[in-house]
Amino acid sequence: ILNEIKNHFKVTQDKVNLVQSLNVGFLFMSGPISSGLAHQFGCRPVVMVFAFIFGFVYMACAYVPSIYIMIPLFGFVGGVAFGCSYLTCFII
């Protein structure tokens, strides 16, 4: 899918790789956030809220006009949201 993003936005491979790298990086960096929220509010609400946010990020990325919007949206917001929903499942 990275080649499709590169061709659609007509950017270099470095910028496309940055999107996925930030997503994976923030996914695993959100471990302390997800465990703290799960301890405070419980696992089920944390998983549901952040899964909804991550689904919204996926839908929004289909309509972004620029890679420079996709980088923080999918990289940062999507990474933290996916991390909080994914890593909290391990607590369950």
Side-chain angles (χ1 to χ4, degrees):
I1 194 166
L2 295 179
N3 284 331
E4 294 296 324
I5 295 171
K6 182 176 94 171
N7 294 335
H8 177 74
F9 291 118
K10 295 175 181 46
V11 294
T12 62
Q13 189 70 36
D14 296 340
K15 286 186 176 49
V16 176
N17 290 341
L18 183 64
V19 172
Q20 185 63 32
S21 297
L22 285 174
N23 184 281
V24 172
F26 281 108
L27 182 154
F28 291 113
M29 286 175 44
S30 65
I33 297 168
S34 66
S35 97
L37 289 172
H39 180 72
Q40 183 73 26
F41 300 108
C43 293
R44 184 177 294 180
V46 172
V47 170
M48 288 190 309
V49 167
F50 282 102
F52 177 76
I53 293 170
F54 188 64
F56 176 76
V57 167
Y58 259 6
M59 296 295 285
C61 283
Y63 299 105
V64 294
S66 170
I67 191 79
Y68 298 106
I69 297 171
M70 185 180 271
I71 289 172
L73 184 66
F74 187 77
F76 175 70
V77 177
V80 170
F82 183 51
C84 285
S85 62
Y86 178 69
L87 297 175
T88 306
C89 291
F90 289 123
I91 297 172
I92 295 171

